[in-house]
Amino acid sequence: MSEAPRLESVAVVGAGALGAMYAAHLAAAEVEVVLVAAGERAERLRTQGLTVNGAPLDIPVLDPSTDGHAPFDLVLVAVKAAQLEDSLDLVAPLVGPDTTFVSVLNGLDSERVIGERFSPEQVLLCIALAMDAEREGSAVRYTAPGRLEIGDSPATVTPGEGGSERTEAVAELLDRAGIACTVHDDMTHRMWWKFLVNVGGNQASAATRTTYGRLRQEPARSLMVALQDEVVAVAAAEGVRLTATDVQRWYDVLEGQPADGRTSMLQDVLAGRPTEVDIFAGRVVELGRRHGIATPYNQSMLWVLSALR
């Protein structure tokens, strides 16, 4: 395989905790990086700015509807699921045939949506793990940046041939920026594992207003386990085997989280923002209906957390 091209320009779509944290890492590595926004949001980012761990995030804000730019090497999508379609329309003028997409969105479907809008070959599979970034107002803080796990979609590569040039190029860029990264051959399984984590940990913490420390204790822990058991069942029906080892891996991650840390869904609930319950509980319930599997705990989460909107 020829040497992977070096990625030099990154458009970050979404200036929340994760988007700002990754943008700060890329800027510190002297990569050309911009925040993509439009209209009033772009003007607010330009005038008010953001800080990351107390330091100003001094990078351009680019509005594709008014600001021209050549296609970017990489588009990092860090919006919420409900904003995905609009964000892809926004960033479209900045995308060329060689542009690669990495999505750090939760859930199982953002990569498919991006691939349908552009090309599946341009989209890597990705999950973000073990970070504790939070945004309050214009201030983003984190103590653990976590890591990204990336890989090719099974639909775009031949098994056994190794990672694509796109995957190699993104891994090299992340390493250059000091963002921990692991390349996996079976990202489908890894994405389902992250789905298990989110459906259990995020939803149980949000419904009970529970920090990571309390999530390790009863009764929140039992609720988390019950939600995850339903994920294991629907995953098996979809041809993905989640084992006791997978579940234990999450418990190991949970033990390493700060006791007073808050999941992203708990942060949304406390801030009065819409949650991602539709792509967590809603997706489990949908799959349960498709395969004839009962999902009462996730159905309850869908009712309870939807009522908080």
Side-chain angles (χ1 to χ4, degrees):
M1 180 179 293
S2 60
E3 183 177 349
R6 185 178 170 94
L7 305 183
E8 298 288 2
S9 61
V10 182
V12 177
V13 188
L18 288 190
M21 181 182 72
Y22 294 134
H25 278 75
L26 291 161
E30 299 184 349
V31 175
E32 180 192 355
V33 56
V34 303
L35 293 175
V36 179
E40 186 272 336
R41 180 170 177 77
E43 185 60 27
R44 185 170 67 252
L45 284 170
R46 287 170 177 152
T47 56
Q48 297 180 3
L50 294 172
T51 62
V52 178
N53 283 352
L57 181 59
D58 187 19
I59 64 174
V61 177
L62 191 150
D63 183 344
S65 66
T66 59
D67 306 326
H69 195 286
F72 280 81
D73 295 334
L74 176 69
V75 173
L76 179 64
V77 183
V79 297
K80 292 292 188 179
Q83 303 164 334
L84 179 57
E85 295 279 4
D86 289 342
S87 73
L88 297 181
D89 290 339
L90 175 65
V91 80
L94 309 177
V95 177
D98 295 325
T99 301
T100 298
F101 283 86
V102 168
S103 167
V104 294
L105 274 67
N106 288 320
L108 297 171
D109 299 308
S110 67
E111 286 84 359
R112 174 186 56 78
V113 172
I114 297 169
E116 290 173 352
R117 177 66 174 79
F118 297 98
S119 169
E121 288 75 18
Q122 293 180 263
V123 187
L124 299 187
L125 302 185
C126 175
I127 59 174
L129 298 169
M131 60 287 174
D132 63 356
E134 297 188 18
R135 178 176 170 178
E136 293 186 8
S138 61
V140 173
R141 294 193 173 276
Y142 69 90
T143 58
R147 71 182 188 277
L148 296 180
E149 298 188 357
I150 63 171
D152 298 294
S153 168
T156 63
V157 296
T158 301
E161 288 192 354
S164 67
E165 285 190 356
R166 289 185 188 274
T167 299
E168 292 181 11
V170 171
E172 188 278 332
L173 171 67
L174 296 175
D175 181 68
R176 204 185 332 147
I179 300 170
C181 170
T182 305
V183 176
H184 282 276
D185 292 332
D186 187 2
M187 278 301 299
T188 299
H189 183 272
R190 297 298 296 165
M191 291 183 72
W192 270 94
W193 177 80
K194 178 67 183 296
F195 187 62
L196 173 94
V197 169
N198 283 330
V199 168
N202 261 286
Q203 293 189 139
S205 71
T208 60
R209 306 299 196 275
T210 296
T211 62
Y212 284 119
R214 295 284 299 277
L215 192 59
R216 296 192 281 259
Q217 304 170 11
E218 297 297 342
R221 183 182 176 93
S222 287
L223 175 58
M224 176 180 68
V225 170
L227 292 165
Q228 291 175 328
D229 285 345
E230 293 178 356
V231 175
V232 172
V234 298
E238 287 285 296
V240 178
R241 183 170 178 261
L242 294 171
T243 67
T245 300
D246 292 312
V247 175
Q248 184 59 51
R249 184 179 297 118
W250 158 236
Y251 295 155
D252 293 342
V253 172
L254 180 59
E255 286 297 325
Q257 294 295 100
D260 60 350
R262 301 178 296 180
T263 67
S264 60
M265 184 175 270
L266 177 57
Q267 293 176 49
D268 289 339
V269 168
L270 295 177
R273 296 188 294 261
T275 72
E276 295 179 307
V277 66
D278 289 337
I279 66 169
F280 294 159
R283 193 74 163 93
V284 174
V285 170
E286 173 201 344
L287 290 169
R289 288 172 179 163
R290 181 186 305 173
H291 296 291
I293 297 170
T295 57
Y297 289 98
N298 276 282
Q299 179 64 72
S300 296
M301 289 297 99
L302 188 57
W303 288 328
V304 170
L305 295 173
S306 295
L308 298 179
R309 296 175 181 172

